[in-house]
Each structure stands twice: as C-alpha cells, then as structure tokens.
Amino acid sequence: MSKRASSHISNRSLRRGAAALVAAGMGATALFGAGTAFAADSKDTILAGASSTATALDQQVSAQSTAAKKAAESAKKSAESAKKAADAKAASDKKLASEWITPVSNYTLGSTFGTGGNLWSSGSHSGQDFVVPSGTAVKAVHGGTVVKASNNLDGAGDGSAYGNAIVIKHDNGTYSQYAHLTSADVTVGQTVTTGQVIGHSGSTGNSTGPHLHFEIRTTPDYGSGVNPVTFLRSQGVTV
C-alpha cells in the first residue's frame, strides 16, 4: 500500500473516533442531566410527603387536644352536678332531721287527748287516735332512739291495753309512743330517723277498731303524757 493511501485511512479513522467521542460525550451529558432531573423530582416528592405527614400529625394532635378539653369540661360539669345533688340531699336530710311530722298519712282524727269515758282504765284518753286502715305504715315523728318495742301484746311494758307498741326517745327529752300496732318493726336501742317506717297500724290490745294510738310523753312510761296534737303543732306540724 502506498503512503498516500495509508494516510487517507488514518485520517478517516481519526474522524470516526472523534465523532464517537462527541456522541459519547453527548450521551453522558444526557445521562447525567436525566439523573439530575430524577434526583430533583425525588427530592420534591420526599419534601411533599413530609409536609403532608406533618400536616396530618398536626391535625391529629389538634383533634386529640380538642377531645381531651371536651372530656375535661364534661368531667368538671359532672363533678359540679354531683356536688350540687349531694349538697341538696345533705340540706334536705338536715332539714328533715330537724322537723317533726305526723305518725301516719291520710288519717282521720279519732278520740282526742283527755277524753273521758269507761273505755280507758284511767278514766281519760292518754293520747290522740289517728284512724287509718290496718297495715298503714307508721312513721317516727322525729329522729331518736327506740327505748321500748314489743310484739307480745303487752304494750311494750305499759300494759296489755296498748297491744303491740313502740316508744322512742327524742333529742329534746320528749318521748313518742305508738300503740295498737299490727307489728313493731324496730328493736330497742335502734336509732331511727324522721319519717322512718317503724311499724304498721292495727287493732291489737284494747281497741274498738283499726287505728294508731299516739302519745307524746315526758318520760318513757305511761302516765306522763301531754296533748300530742298541741305538741306537734308547736313544732310546726299541721294536724
């Protein structure tokens, strides 16, 4: 081969090599450019996701805080309502404890205190009769301690004329007595409150029909009675 031909081939090879290098450079540029763009897109996606997560967390924290606040307010209102109810009950109990009441409800007044006649061994009636059907609830007219109670038809020690009977001592030194009961539902030494059911009316002992014989006494025993209607009215009771 001549020197001229050899030189021509070498020049052509050089041109091809240069073209390949240029193409390779362009490819590398395109490749690196695409990589850069991909990295940028990935960064934006990550930042957007993080922002969305942070927003969701903020919303969750806010919702939990609101719920906790509402729960605290509800608990506070419940506590206040419970306190008001307790205070009202305490006031009611205190008022009731200081009050006196009639021993039965829906009654008709029968024989009065001091009425004379041969129905009573002493010649006069020692209490006030409240006419009610047998089995009517009999209530303590005031709080106190039971000092006599019997279902033996012996008047709790005051005589068989009283039948089944109860005597209660009160804080002002007076005593209330309940007689002719079907049953005495309390025992000696028991503390009772105003309005507590202590027995049920009947017609036991010396009785002409169902009623409650009621007395106010200055001692626990028979013979110390005072007018029970006058006494109850002095305590503000309507009889």
Side-chain angles (χ1 to χ4, degrees):
M1 180 182 295
S2 66
K3 290 182 179 180
R4 184 177 179 179
S6 176
S7 176
H8 180 70
I9 292 171
S10 296
N11 289 336
R12 186 167 57 188
S13 297
L14 288 173
R15 287 196 299 272
R16 288 177 180 174
L21 289 173
V22 171
M26 291 179 64
T29 301
L31 177 62
F32 289 132
T36 302
F38 176 76
D41 289 343
S42 298
K43 181 179 179 182
D44 291 341
T45 301
I46 292 170
L47 291 175
S51 177
S52 177
T53 300
T55 300
L57 288 174
D58 287 343
Q59 291 174 344
Q60 183 178 0
V61 169
S62 178
Q64 290 175 341
S65 177
T66 300
K69 184 178 180 181
K70 288 182 178 179
E73 291 175 350
S74 178
K76 181 179 179 181
K77 288 181 179 179
S78 296
E80 290 174 348
S81 297
K83 185 177 184 303
K84 287 181 180 179
D87 290 345
K89 185 178 185 305
S92 177
D93 291 345
K94 183 177 180 180
K95 180 180 179 182
L96 183 60
S98 67
E99 289 182 340
W100 291 73
I101 63 172
T102 56
V104 289
S105 302
N106 303 319
Y107 56 84
T108 299
L109 290 178
S111 297
T112 59
F113 177 78
T115 301
N118 58 9
L119 291 175
W120 304 283
S121 59
S122 64
S124 65
H125 195 221
S126 57
Q128 172 66 52
D129 288 346
F130 290 81
V131 181
V132 289
S134 288
T136 299
V138 174
K139 299 168 287 186
V141 294
H142 191 69
T145 303
V146 178
V147 295
K148 293 184 179 182
S150 173
N151 285 313
N152 295 325
L153 301 176
D154 63 353
D158 287 324
S160 61
Y162 286 118
N164 298 325
I166 297 169
V167 177
I168 298 173
K169 180 180 180 180
H170 304 293
D171 53 11
N172 66 348
T174 60
Y175 298 79
S176 58
Q177 188 244 20
Y178 314 76
H180 303 313
L181 302 175
T182 296
S183 64
D185 300 338
V186 291
T187 57
V188 173
Q190 181 177 339
T191 299
V192 296
T193 57
T194 304
Q196 180 176 333
V197 175
I198 57 174
H200 292 80
S201 65
S203 188
T204 58
N206 184 14
S207 171
T208 58
H211 69 282
L212 171 70
H213 174 87
F214 175 73
E215 295 184 17
I216 290 292
R217 299 174 173 180
T218 57
T219 75
D221 303 319
Y222 169 76
S224 62
V226 298
N227 190 321
V229 172
T230 300
F231 174 84
L232 288 177
R233 286 174 178 167
S234 73
Q235 302 300 318
V237 181
T238 300
V239 183

